[in-house]
Amino acid sequence: DGGITQSPKYLFRKEGQNVTLSCEQNLNHDAMYWYRQDPGQGLRLIYYSQIVNDFQKGDIAEGYSVSREKKESFPLTVTSAQKNPTAFYLCASSSGTSGEKLFFGSGTQLSVL
Amino acid sequence: AQTVTQSQPEMSVQEAETVTLSCTYDTSENNYYLFWYKQPPSRQMILVIRQEAYKQQNATENRFSVNFQKAAKSFSLKISDSQLGDTAMYFCAFNAGGTSYGKLTFGQGTILTVHP
């Protein structure tokens, strides 16, 4: 089945540690996105990528980094510079055309130890 | 920058009744897209309905319909014959069209509880 796979489902970060969240899609989509969701709040855009080897900052990129070396993969690294990383992280993909629906993964819950 | 506002943090409805969730947005764009997404307790984001701003006709999907008022920048979701499975958080989202690609701006969400 085509879809988006995020792993792990739960992740714990120690202070000062970088952690990487995985996102893989087999929908042949050009565009991929990372959103952050805090409890009881909406989703905020962290980074997005329209094409391989290119990505842009979203509204809350500070303390995060991404790469897009393959069309299928868009990993997100939460660096030690992100002082409040506890949140639910959602990866999404789309054809990249304006107005088209986003397909979402099942999310990763990141918590700080 | 676009903003999306959902003024109802929580709503409740009895099974089989109708409920309307509100959403307003602010934009200077003329051609854009609006969405309602549902997030059940599983936290999986599910598209409920999509509206193109240049279409005057309100979108419908089975029991779900929207009231799109472009001049008022209002985009409400009506759920008819509510079912227990409709219990979820509902997000209104905006796409600016043009070169915004697929980027969505989300509202804060409305928690809907359907009671038996």
Side-chain angles (χ1 to χ4, degrees):
Chain A
D1 286 340
I4 301 179
T5 301
Q6 287 188 242
S7 63
K9 191 172 179 68
Y10 299 95
L11 187 59
F12 298 90
R13 192 190 90 166
K14 296 179 182 178
E15 193 170 338
Q17 184 182 42
N18 292 354
V19 293
T20 297
L21 285 60
S22 171
C23 178
E24 303 275 336
Q25 55 100 357
N26 60 5
L27 299 168
N28 199 33
H29 283 162
D30 287 318
M32 297 187 74
Y33 314 82
W34 275 105
Y35 284 90
R36 169 178 171 144
Q37 183 179 17
D38 291 284
Q41 297 189 29
L43 282 65
R44 292 182 290 168
L45 183 64
I46 305 172
Y47 267 99
Y48 64 102
S49 167
Q50 301 301 324
I51 197 168
V52 175
N53 292 323
D54 189 38
F55 49 83
Q56 288 79 40
K57 293 181 180 179
D59 300 319
I60 55 166
E62 186 175 351
Y64 300 96
S65 66
V66 294
S67 63
R68 186 88 187 275
E69 297 176 2
K70 298 187 300 181
K71 187 175 185 178
E72 302 80 17
S73 179
F74 191 42
L76 173 74
T77 296
V78 184
T79 74
S80 57
Q82 173 48 247
K83 298 307 179 186
N84 185 22
T86 296
F88 187 61
Y89 291 86
L90 282 160
C91 178
S93 72
S94 76
S95 64
T97 303
S98 292
E100 294 300 312
K101 66 175 280 189
L102 265 58
F103 291 77
F104 285 87
S106 56
T108 293
Q109 175 64 51
L110 175 62
S111 302
V112 177
L113 288 176
Chain B
Q2 291 81 21
T3 59
V4 179
T5 302
Q6 294 178 247
S7 59
Q8 305 155 313
E10 295 187 41
M11 294 280 284
S12 63
V13 64
Q14 292 296 127
E15 196 174 9
E17 294 187 347
T18 296
V19 64
T20 298
L21 308 184
S22 301
C23 173
T24 58
Y25 57 94
D26 187 25
T27 184
S28 58
E29 302 290 337
N30 190 46
N31 293 323
Y32 49 87
Y33 304 83
L34 293 160
F35 302 81
W36 278 98
Y37 276 86
K38 165 184 176 180
Q39 188 180 45
S42 67
R43 305 182 86 172
Q44 179 70 49
M45 293 288 285
I46 301 165
L47 177 67
V48 175
I49 202 164
R50 172 182 174 272
Q51 175 78 41
E52 301 169 6
Y54 56 86
K55 288 188 177 180
Q56 292 190 347
Q57 186 174 7
N58 289 325
T60 63
E61 286 288 340
N62 301 313
R63 298 182 295 108
F64 299 88
S65 61
V66 298
N67 183 5
F68 173 50
Q69 301 289 329
K70 191 172 184 180
K73 296 181 181 176
S74 171
F75 183 60
S76 60
L77 174 69
K78 185 172 84 170
I79 305 175
S80 303
D81 186 26
S82 297
Q83 301 176 358
L84 297 178
D86 295 333
T87 292
M89 192 153 189
Y90 287 80
F91 292 100
C92 179
F94 174 96
N95 172 263
T99 57
S100 70
Y101 304 104
K103 290 187 296 177
L104 293 181
T105 299
F106 286 85
Q108 307 93 317
T110 296
I111 299 172
L112 175 67
T113 304
V114 181
H115 296 286

